[in-house]
Amino acid sequence: MELEERLNDVRSRISAAEQQGGRPNGSVQLVAVSKTFDADAIRPALQAGQRVFGENRIQESQGKWPELKSETSGIELHLIGPLQSNKAAEAVALFDVIETVDREKIARALADEMKRQAKTPRLYVQVNTGLEPQKAGIAPDDTVEFVAFCRDQLGLAIEGLMCIPPVDENPGPHFALLARLAKACGIEKLSMGMSGDYETAIAFGATSVRVGSAIFGTR
Ligand SMILES: *Cc1c(COP(=O)(O)O)cnc(C)c1O
């Protein structure tokens, strides 16, 4: 199958899941995860009208997205991978949405850089819903307090919450937990669901899904 066919298949599955969940058509944003794929592999997605992309590494993104952004207007780039505070300047410069805010140090570094660069990427807080030691994200129990800290102490608008459920578990309870936490924080956006479970995530209220291999192929 060509990329455009795979992309259209994902789009129609998203529409069907929206409809099934009683959600308005077009209410779920598709973030096409292009990590590990080079500019030539990404251009067909741009040609097929896709404008929202996710990447998990800053350095890799710097090698392809400035060029792609200069060729095509309206691109929205999401950082979905772990962020070190010494990379905050680069992240603020390149990304339109940073989905992996998960600790005070990185929140402070982003707040400083956003002032310095007079740029305001939209921000999501990553929650480690499975409390996995190897995984980034704030603990569920600390989420409400952390979001309040970002807002009240740093003046950062937190637009949404993001999670990556443990690979070997039923994702439903993790999506439900993220939705509950968002409600407790007064947050409406939920970034959850990947190639294997995005329809489930939509049923639990995802407002954006991050789909890589189902569009670009296996990595
Ligand atoms: C790679 C990645 C995805 C996409 O995963 P697929 O299974 O290829 O759809 C989504 N979210 C994050 C955070 C990722 O790192």
Side-chain angles (χ1 to χ4, degrees), residues 2-3 15 22 29 44 46 56 75-76 86 98 108 122 126 128-129 139 141 147 152-153 156 166 168 186 193 213 217:
E2 296 293 318
L3 182 140
S15 293
Q29 183 181 54
L46 288 163
N56 69 337
I75 289 174
E76 180 180 302
N86 63 357
I98 297 172
R108 284 185 198 281
R122 287 142 51 205
Q126 182 177 356
N128 189 355
T129 58
D141 282 349
V147 168
D152 303 339
Q153 305 296 313
L156 294 175
D168 51 354
S213 49

Side-chain angles (χ1 to χ4, degrees), residues 31 33-35 53-57 78-82 95 97-100 126 162 164 191 210:
V31 180
V33 177
S34 47
K35 65 187 186 196
F53 292 87
E55 289 282 348
N56 69 337
R57 286 171 190 275
H78 291 228
L79 178 64
I80 60 170
F95 289 90
V97 182
I98 297 172
E99 298 201 14
T100 50
Q126 182 177 356
M162 177 271 221
I164 312 167
S191 170
R210 308 178 309 268

Side-chain angles (χ1 to χ4, degrees), residues 21-135:
R23 312 269 308 273
N25 200 259
S27 57
V28 178
Q29 183 181 54
L30 171 59
V31 180
V33 177
S34 47
K35 65 187 186 196
T36 77
F37 292 93
D38 64 14
D40 284 341
I42 296 169
R43 281 192 189 93
L46 288 163
Q47 273 148 24
Q50 181 66 28
R51 290 293 178 271
V52 184
F53 292 87
E55 289 282 348
N56 69 337
R57 286 171 190 275
I58 291 172
Q59 209 179 337
E60 181 191 333
S61 305
Q62 286 171 326
K64 54 189 172 180
W65 283 104
E67 181 190 359
L68 291 168
K69 278 188 164 186
S70 74
E71 292 169 10
T72 306
S73 62
I75 289 174
E76 180 180 302
L77 196 57
H78 291 228
L79 178 64
I80 60 170
L83 179 56
Q84 304 301 321
S85 46
N86 63 357
K87 288 279 167 38
E90 281 114 312
V92 168
L94 184 60
F95 289 90
D96 304 290
V97 182
I98 297 172
E99 298 201 14
T100 50
V101 183
D102 69 350
R103 57 195 188 280
E104 279 191 28
K105 193 175 179 199
I106 196 66
R108 284 185 198 281
L110 289 171
D112 288 348
E113 272 310 319
M114 286 164 67
K115 270 198 208 90
R116 201 179 334 239
Q117 298 183 31
K119 222 179 151 254
T120 49
R122 287 142 51 205
L123 304 177
Y124 282 57
V125 165
Q126 182 177 356
V127 183
N128 189 355
T129 58
L131 286 171
E132 294 172 281
Q134 82 285 7
K135 202 168 268 178

Side-chain angles (χ1 to χ4, degrees), residues 104 125 138-153 158 181 184-185:
E104 279 191 28
V125 165
I138 190 133
D141 282 349
D142 299 333
T143 301
V144 173
E145 198 182 342
F146 179 62
V147 168
F149 165 80
C150 291
R151 283 174 173 161
D152 303 339
Q153 305 296 313
I158 301 297
L181 290 170
C185 297

